Amino acid sequence: MSNYIRIAGNPATGIVLLGDDGTVRSQGQVETWSAWLDSPRAAGFVPGEAAFACLHGDGAGFVTVAHGTAIRYLSVLGQPNARWKDVAPPPAGTGIAGLAGGPLEGYLLLAADGRLYRLDGGAAGGGNAWQACAAPPFSGKAALIAGDWQHGVLALADGAAAKLQSGSTGDAWTALPAPPLAFEMVTGNCQDGFIAYGEGRMFMLDMGAQPRWSRLAMPGFDMRALSGDPVHGVAAVLADSSGDGTLVVYALRPGRESWSLVLAPSARRA
C-alpha cells in the first residue's frame, strides 16, 4: 500500500500525490471533489528512496519526480499509459537535495553540498547540461529551494534567505528578510509568494515591494509534505498516528480561512 510522501501543485488548479512506492495520483480543483486519477508509477522508483516532486500547470499539467540520481517528468497526468521522459542527469557526484521548476520554465537543483545548478527551460531531453549558479549571498549553505529558473528562485539557509533571478547580465541574488525559524519545507513562487513550515509552525513570505514573513494558522497535526502558494491555496499531507502520510488538507486562502480535509485516495495494491 502507499503512504504519501510528497505533494505538488495547489488546490485551485490541481494537486499530485507521490507515494513511497512511486504511486502517482492527481486531482483537479479540490472544491469540486473530483475523482483521484492514476498515472504510471514513477519510473525506476525504489521504495523508501528520498524523492522530490514538483508540478507546474493545472491538474493535467507537468509533474516532475527526482529520486536517486534520476529526474523524470510526465507531460500529461491521469493517463495510465502516459510515459515518463528523462531530464538531463545532475552533475556527477552532486546528489539531489532539492528540485524546483519544470520542463518549460527551467529547473533549479539543490545539490547535497548546498550548491545550486540550473537547467534552462525546454532543455529536458534536449541534451543540455546543468550549469552552476552563483553562490548565494549568505555564509551557510542553502538547505531549501522553491520557485523556477524563469521567474526566480527562493533559497533558504540557517537564518538567511535570498532570491535568485536570471537576467541578461547573468545570475543576480537579492537578500531577503531572514526566516523566523529553521524551516523544514518551503513552497511557492516569486509572483504569488511562498509558504514555509518548521518547528510546528507555518509562515508566509510576501514578495511585494517590502518582502516580509507573517505567521499562519495550521492544522493540529505534523506535516509530511507541503505544496501551493498564498494566491492559489496551500495543500499538505499530514502524518497520521503511525507517522504515515495518509491525510490531505487544504486552505484556499491561507491565513484567512480554516483548513479543510480532502480524503486521500485509498492505497493502491501491487
Side-chain angles (χ1 to χ4, degrees):
M1 70 175 52
S2 299
N3 295 317
Y4 299 103
I5 58 173
R6 297 287 177 178
I7 189 169
N10 62 69
T13 61
I15 57 178
V16 179
L17 292 174
L18 174 68
D20 59 3
D21 59 355
T23 294
V24 176
R25 287 183 159 178
S26 60
Q27 183 180 136
Q29 296 179 358
V30 295
E31 282 195 312
T32 65
W33 293 91
S34 56
W36 290 91
L37 302 176
D38 285 340
S39 294
R41 292 180 188 268
F45 190 87
V46 177
E49 210 171 29
F52 305 90
C54 46
L55 169 76
H56 283 260
D58 55 23
F62 297 95
V63 64
T64 305
V65 174
H67 57 95
T69 59
I71 305 172
R72 299 183 176 94
Y73 73 93
L74 279 176
S75 58
V76 180
L77 294 170
Q79 294 189 9
N81 295 324
R83 302 183 66 178
W84 288 87
K85 299 179 181 179
D86 290 330
V87 177
T94 58
I96 302 175
L99 182 72
L104 299 181
E105 301 87 352
Y107 291 103
L108 197 87
L109 182 144
L110 174 63
D113 62 2
R115 296 183 182 181
L116 297 169
Y117 297 85
R118 65 177 175 86
L119 187 68
D120 291 338
N128 291 10
W130 292 86
Q131 303 294 323
C133 295
F138 40 70
S139 57
K141 71 177 185 179
L144 296 170
I145 57 172
D148 66 77
W149 176 240
Q150 180 180 348
H151 301 101
V153 177
L154 171 70
L156 297 179
D158 184 13
K163 173 187 174 183
L164 175 63
Q165 189 75 44
S166 63
S168 58
T169 58
D171 304 347
W173 284 97
T174 302
L176 296 172
L181 50 84
F183 288 123
E184 303 166 26
M185 310 171 197
V186 64
T187 177
N189 59 74
C190 288
Q191 297 97 318
D192 304 317
F194 296 90
I195 293 176
Y197 167 80
E199 299 178 14
R201 290 178 284 174
M202 179 176 290
F203 285 79
M204 177 177 71
L205 175 60
D206 184 345
M207 293 296 289
Q210 298 292 328
R212 64 186 181 91
W213 294 96
S214 57
R215 188 172 178 179
L216 300 175
M218 59 168 288
F221 295 86
D222 290 334
M223 287 193 174
R224 170 64 58 84
L226 179 70
S227 186
D229 61 69
V231 173
H232 300 97
V234 61
V237 177
L238 303 182
D240 66 12
S241 59
S242 68
D244 296 330
T246 56
L247 299 176
V248 179
V249 297
Y250 73 93
L252 288 174
R253 298 191 301 166
R256 291 173 289 173
E257 67 179 21
S258 59
W259 289 75
S260 301
L261 174 67
V262 177
L263 296 178
S266 58
R268 182 171 64 182
R269 300 186 182 276

